[in-house]
């Protein structure tokens, strides 16, 4: 039986608030890329805490990646799939990719489970930046990627992140948690019941 843990919007808000000073000091992002759908809400909350006085809001762009698949059981628990599928991506022919060059880009997602999705996102974005930089005659190395997740599951990972990203401490998880199934509030159909279940949990 998979243990379920319920996370509230208030908990997510506070996790983002607590992480923001470290993100500002260490990553200094000037662009965020939210991985949909779990990265949308934390990215938007983070933006409020990352804004510096006199500076504009940090832009948020979005990509869609799908890895999870339903088990087909009554409780509809999902498990990690084996192949990452793009459901939304940045347009290489537009200004979106050119705007990444030379930026400190913060990739935001809700959970680091198998790390497969994060590995795919970083590798593919690095490739696309390199292509765009070559077309524009710019240095792709001037673009730095960092990662923020709400929860990192304490388990063996299938995916790998670039060594330079890890060694430079450009990965931050607000909380490291056991290998449990995390129910986020944006997945709830009854938010009152979701919050009631969350009140009985101790995880943040």
């Amino acid at each position: 039986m998979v243990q379920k843990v319920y996370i509230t919007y208030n908990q997510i808000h506070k996790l983002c608030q607590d992480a923001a000073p470290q993100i500002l000091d260490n990553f200094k992002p000037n662009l965020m890329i939210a991985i949909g759908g779990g990265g949308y809400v934390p990215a938007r909350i983070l933006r409020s805490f990352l804004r510096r006085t006199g500076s504009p809001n940090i832009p948020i762009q979005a990509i869609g990646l799908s890895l999870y698949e339903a088990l087909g059981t009554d409780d509809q628990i999902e498990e990690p799939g084996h192949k990452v599928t793009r459901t939304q991506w940045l347009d290489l022919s537009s200004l979106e990719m050119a705007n990444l060059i030379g930026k400190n880009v913060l990739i935001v997602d809700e959970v680091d489970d198998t790390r497969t999705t994060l590995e795919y996102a970083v590798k593919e974005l690095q490739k696309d930046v390199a292509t765009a930089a070559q077309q524009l005659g710019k240095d792709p190395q001037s673009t730095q990627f960092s990662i923020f997740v709400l929860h990192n599951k304490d388990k063996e990972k299938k995916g790998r992140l670039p060594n330079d990203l890890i060694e430079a401490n450009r990965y931050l998880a607000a909380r490291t948690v056991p290998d449990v199934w995390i129910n986020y509030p944006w997945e709830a159909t009854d938010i009152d019941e979701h919050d009631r279940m969350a009140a009985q949990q101790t995880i943040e």
Side-chain angles (χ1 to χ4, degrees):
M1 184 70 177
V2 178
Q3 181 187 355
K4 291 184 179 181
V5 172
Y6 294 81
I7 304 297
T8 68
Y9 282 114
N10 279 356
Q11 288 173 319
I12 291 165
H13 196 96
K14 290 174 182 177
L15 289 176
C16 292
Q17 184 177 18
D18 290 346
Q22 187 173 345
I23 292 172
L24 279 172
D25 291 342
N26 296 350
F27 304 162
K28 297 177 174 58
N30 40 39
L31 178 68
M32 282 190 279
I33 293 181
I35 299 179
Y40 296 153
V41 174
R44 177 58 190 88
I45 295 172
L46 265 180
R47 188 171 75 169
S48 296
F49 292 114
L50 296 180
R51 183 173 183 178
R52 295 183 184 273
T53 303
S55 299
N57 279 319
I58 297 175
I60 301 174
Q61 296 188 18
I63 58 175
L65 299 173
S66 177
L67 179 66
Y68 289 92
E69 54 192 21
L71 291 177
T73 54
D74 291 339
D75 54 8
Q76 289 301 302
I77 288 178
E78 297 176 331
E79 67 174 7
H82 303 289
K83 180 182 177 182
V84 177
T85 303
R86 290 191 190 190
T87 57
Q88 179 181 343
W89 199 253
L90 305 179
D91 184 358
L92 271 173
S93 64
S94 74
L95 290 176
E96 287 181 325
M97 290 311 304
N99 286 340
L100 295 186
I101 300 171
K103 298 290 180 64
N104 292 332
V105 181
L106 179 63
I107 299 170
V108 180
D109 207 359
E110 86 277 44
V111 63
D112 182 358
D113 189 342
T114 64
R115 196 163 285 177
T116 306
T117 300
L118 287 172
E119 176 189 41
Y120 182 94
V122 173
K123 283 185 176 179
E124 292 300 305
L125 286 168
Q126 286 178 330
K127 278 196 240 177
D128 288 352
V129 164
T131 299
Q134 183 178 26
Q135 292 172 350
L136 296 170
K138 296 184 178 181
D139 180 11
Q141 299 300 320
S142 63
T143 304
Q144 296 289 328
F145 289 98
S146 301
I147 292 172
F148 171 74
V149 294
L150 295 171
H151 298 101
N152 171 43
K153 292 188 182 181
D154 187 11
K155 61 188 288 187
E156 185 177 353
K157 307 296 186 184
K158 295 180 181 178
R160 292 180 176 271
L161 297 174
N163 289 334
D164 62 327
L165 188 150
I166 297 296
E167 291 169 1
N169 293 319
R170 298 202 309 269
Y171 172 94
L172 174 63
R175 294 287 186 275
T176 295
V177 299
D179 186 14
V180 296
W181 183 259
I182 303 176
N183 289 274
Y184 290 98
W186 48 80
E187 300 166 346
T189 54
D190 184 338
I191 194 63
D192 293 324
E193 174 64 10
H194 179 95
D195 287 350
R196 187 185 71 78
M197 296 296 293
Q200 300 174 12
Q201 307 287 332
T202 58
I203 193 172
E204 294 184 352

